[in-house]
């Protein structure tokens, strides 16, 4: 199950992401927002992060205007590794190397075509499982205050 969250700056792109996931038959839970009226992105980052922490969802996609604020907020949550991606290589590498569990994107940064390719790459790429990457992820976890 994929957890989705966005603010007003990410709303339009999120509608495209939802249509794309539906076309692929992928299940998601939409935590909002519900339109283009201004909202606060930390509220939506928190809902998606908690859905992953609770095991309700195993991956998340967060979109705000830049993807920056919403990824900063999500990364405050223990066990969350939110990666802001604007290209497919980063989406591939953050799964292979960082085992990222949330993809963040900027709705005011990306066109729909590249964004949907980033989504596919993020969802289709496994964690490598390499010892050196697992060790580094453990060190990230150890930094959590
Ligand atoms: C909202 O105007 C904007 O600040 C937000 O979507 C995001 O870009 C913050 O990082």
């Amino acid at each position: 199950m994929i957890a989705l969250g966005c603010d007003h700056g990410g709303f339009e792109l999120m509608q495209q992401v939802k249509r794309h996931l539906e076309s692929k038959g992928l299940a998601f839970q939409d935590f909002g927002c519900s339109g283009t009226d201004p909202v606060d992105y930390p509220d939506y980052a928190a809902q998606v992060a908690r859905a992953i922490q609770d095991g309700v969802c195993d991956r998340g996609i967060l979109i705000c205007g830049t993807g920056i604020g919403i990824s900063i907020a999500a990364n405050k949550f223990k066990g969350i590794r939110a990666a802001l991606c604007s290209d497919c290589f980063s989406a591939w590498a953050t799964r292979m190397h960082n085992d990222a569990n949330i993809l963040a994107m900027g709705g005011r940064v990306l066109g729909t075509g590249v964004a949907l390719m980033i989504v596919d790459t993020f969802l289709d790429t496994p964690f490598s499982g390499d010892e050196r990457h697992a060790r580094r992820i453990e060190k990230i976890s150890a930094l959590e205050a």
Side-chain angles (χ1 to χ4, degrees):
M1 179 73 78
I2 304 163
L4 304 181
C6 67
D7 76 352
H8 52 292
F11 180 78
E12 296 296 349
L13 179 56
M14 187 59 90
Q15 305 321 299
Q16 301 293 331
V17 170
K18 284 162 59 176
R19 273 193 278 278
H20 184 65
L21 297 177
E22 281 165 356
S23 77
K24 299 183 71 159
L26 295 173
F28 59 81
Q29 193 167 342
D30 185 5
F31 292 91
C33 64
S34 57
T36 52
D37 289 343
V39 294
D40 297 336
Y41 55 79
D43 298 338
Y44 300 92
Q47 290 188 71
V48 167
R50 289 194 183 110
I52 293 173
Q53 284 182 324
D54 294 346
V56 175
C57 295
D58 53 350
R59 300 275 181 93
I61 299 174
L62 289 171
I63 310 177
C64 67
T66 59
I68 296 171
I70 209 158
S71 57
I72 291 172
N75 278 316
K76 294 291 183 187
F77 289 77
K78 190 174 171 62
I80 296 301
R81 292 178 299 281
L84 172 58
C85 296
S86 295
D87 63 274
C88 290
F89 174 76
S90 297
W92 174 85
T94 199
R95 288 290 309 129
M96 290 288 285
H97 293 197
N98 313 127
D99 198 14
N101 46 20
I102 294 180
L103 167 66
M105 298 187 292
R108 296 172 181 159
V109 178
L110 297 173
T112 303
V114 70
L116 298 183
M117 288 185 73
I118 289 168
V119 167
D120 286 345
T121 304
F122 183 81
L123 295 178
D124 292 347
T125 305
F127 175 50
S128 69
D130 289 350
E131 189 280 331
R132 69 186 190 284
H133 294 311
R135 182 180 71 241
R136 292 162 189 162
I137 292 166
E138 279 301 309
K139 288 191 176 187
I140 292 173
S141 299
L143 297 174
E144 286 171 338

